[in-house]
Amino acid sequence: MAVATTTKANVKEKGEAAKAVRPRNEKVAYLFLSPWMFGLVVFSLGPILVSLYLSFTNYNLLQPPRWIGLENYVHMFTQSQLFSTSLVDTLEYILISVPIKMVVALAIALLLSLEVKGIGVYRTVYYVPSLIGTSVAVAYLWQQMFGPDGLINKGLALVGIHGPNWLAEPRTALFTLAMLQAWQFGSAMMIFVAGLKQIPESLYEAAIVDGAGRLYRFFRITIPMLSPVIFFNLIMSIINGFTQFTQGYIVTDGGPLNATLFFALYLYEEAFNFQNMGYASALAWFLLVLVGVLTFLVFRFGSRYVYYES
């Protein structure tokens, strides 16, 4: 009985000591987190709330905001022709660029998952476009490549084909920018490579024993086992597509007949070219809601096709 009493007393003392130490540890943790929390409130949460308020005002950066209620949103949906044009252009861009990017990234990942000498060097080389692909320099390079006398048309001329003015024609300008987005497949490729490494080799060995060919193994083993990674890359590519700005601004500046007037570019022009900061804030919040709704729908209907081993 005495031993039990002593044990209980020791446990109680240790508990009280732990409670005494815990507040000090929490204070230290909050101290180290304070710079991040300051940045979150001042540079992220604060501007987000301010933009929500500005979306209900008439604000031109020079005069104080004037409350106008829902007029910005009414103008957006009923009076602005460029709103619908930019939204359609962005959706078309996503529908073209995302499938191409996913297919190219998966195809390269399958090649780079092979165990050959120097494979790490090849992975690094193929990842480089993703590091520099969104830069202004690459956008200017793309502009020169697809110009009337650019590298692409010169290559076509060698085989007797007269290439179009890729960036000056509405039917080809958007496709050209989609190719630039697909060229930046490095991030998705590396994620695919990591996913391919997680597929048990025993599944392929069993399929080979049963006489399964390469295509059967690809569609019956690789794709189902890789479906969570495909799903993740799909979500990230769609979100990234809605935020495209540099390509549309540098390469085509909205394109011929606004064929490449992406939503982010339209938002930028309203905010900084026309000083309609209130209306631009409303556009930003519409984009946030739109991306959130589409992401929810993709999760709602796409997750049923995703295989999770657990």
Side-chain angles (χ1 to χ4, degrees), residues 21 99 105 181-182 212 285:
V21 173
Q181 173 65 12
W285 276 91

Side-chain angles (χ1 to χ4, degrees), residues 21-295:
V21 173
R22 190 177 304 152
R24 292 199 297 269
N25 291 339
E26 290 180 353
K27 291 179 181 179
V28 173
Y30 284 121
L31 178 63
F32 281 100
L33 286 172
S34 59
W36 177 86
M37 297 175 66
F38 176 81
L40 174 66
V41 173
V42 175
F43 299 110
S44 296
L45 184 60
I48 288 174
L49 296 177
V50 171
S51 71
L52 178 61
Y53 165 74
L54 292 178
S55 68
F56 298 100
T57 66
N58 182 9
Y59 181 45
N60 60 5
L61 296 177
L62 300 176
Q63 299 175 345
R66 180 172 58 86
W67 184 268
I68 58 174
L70 296 174
E71 288 187 19
N72 286 327
Y73 294 94
V74 173
H75 174 77
M76 183 192 309
F77 291 113
T78 61
Q79 301 177 21
S80 177
Q81 180 65 33
L82 291 180
F83 167 76
S84 58
T85 300
S86 63
L87 187 59
V88 170
D89 288 345
T90 304
L91 292 175
E92 289 181 353
Y93 172 79
I94 292 174
L95 290 175
I96 295 173
S97 63
V98 170
I100 296 176
K101 181 179 179 179
M102 296 283 286
V103 171
V104 172
L106 180 56
I108 301 298
L110 289 170
L111 293 176
L112 296 182
S113 62
L114 301 175
E115 296 298 335
V116 297
K117 186 177 180 180
I119 194 64
V121 176
Y122 289 107
R123 291 172 183 171
T124 303
V125 171
Y126 278 102
Y127 185 71
V128 168
S130 291
L131 297 177
I132 64 175
T134 57
S135 65
V136 175
V138 172
Y140 274 117
L141 176 62
W142 209 260
Q143 185 182 56
Q144 297 301 317
M145 287 177 57
F146 285 90
D149 299 321
L151 181 63
I152 302 301
N153 281 347
K154 288 182 178 179
L156 294 175
L158 295 177
V159 293
I161 300 177
H162 179 70
N165 191 349
W166 298 90
L167 302 176
E169 297 184 13
R171 61 187 180 89
T172 58
L174 188 64
F175 179 78
T176 302
L177 296 187
M179 292 299 99
L180 176 56
Q181 173 65 12
W183 181 65
Q184 306 166 31
F185 60 83
S187 297
M189 176 201 70
M190 295 304 295
I191 296 174
F192 277 136
V193 170
L196 289 170
K197 293 296 183 181
Q198 300 302 315
I199 300 177
E201 191 66 28
S202 59
L203 296 178
Y204 294 108
E205 294 173 354
I208 293 174
V209 171
D210 291 337
R214 291 182 179 272
L215 287 178
Y216 186 90
R217 297 198 302 270
F218 176 74
F219 287 104
R220 295 294 184 176
I221 298 177
T222 304
I223 293 298
M225 296 297 293
L226 201 62
S227 57
V229 178
I230 296 174
F231 186 66
F232 173 80
N233 277 334
L234 176 63
I235 293 292
M236 298 305 297
S237 297
I238 292 175
I239 295 175
N240 186 51
F242 276 105
T243 60
Q244 289 303 311
F245 170 78
T246 305
Q247 294 92 326
Y249 182 69
I250 300 298
V251 180
T252 59
D253 194 19
L257 302 177
N258 295 320
T260 59
L261 183 64
F262 298 143
F263 197 90
L265 178 57
Y266 173 54
L267 189 156
Y268 168 84
E269 291 181 346
E270 289 291 339
F272 298 103
N273 289 353
F274 305 111
Q275 285 77 49
N276 294 330
M277 188 60 70
Y279 179 61
S281 298
L283 290 173
W285 276 91
F286 169 80
L287 180 61
L288 174 65
V289 173
L290 176 62
V291 171
V293 170
L294 289 179
T295 303

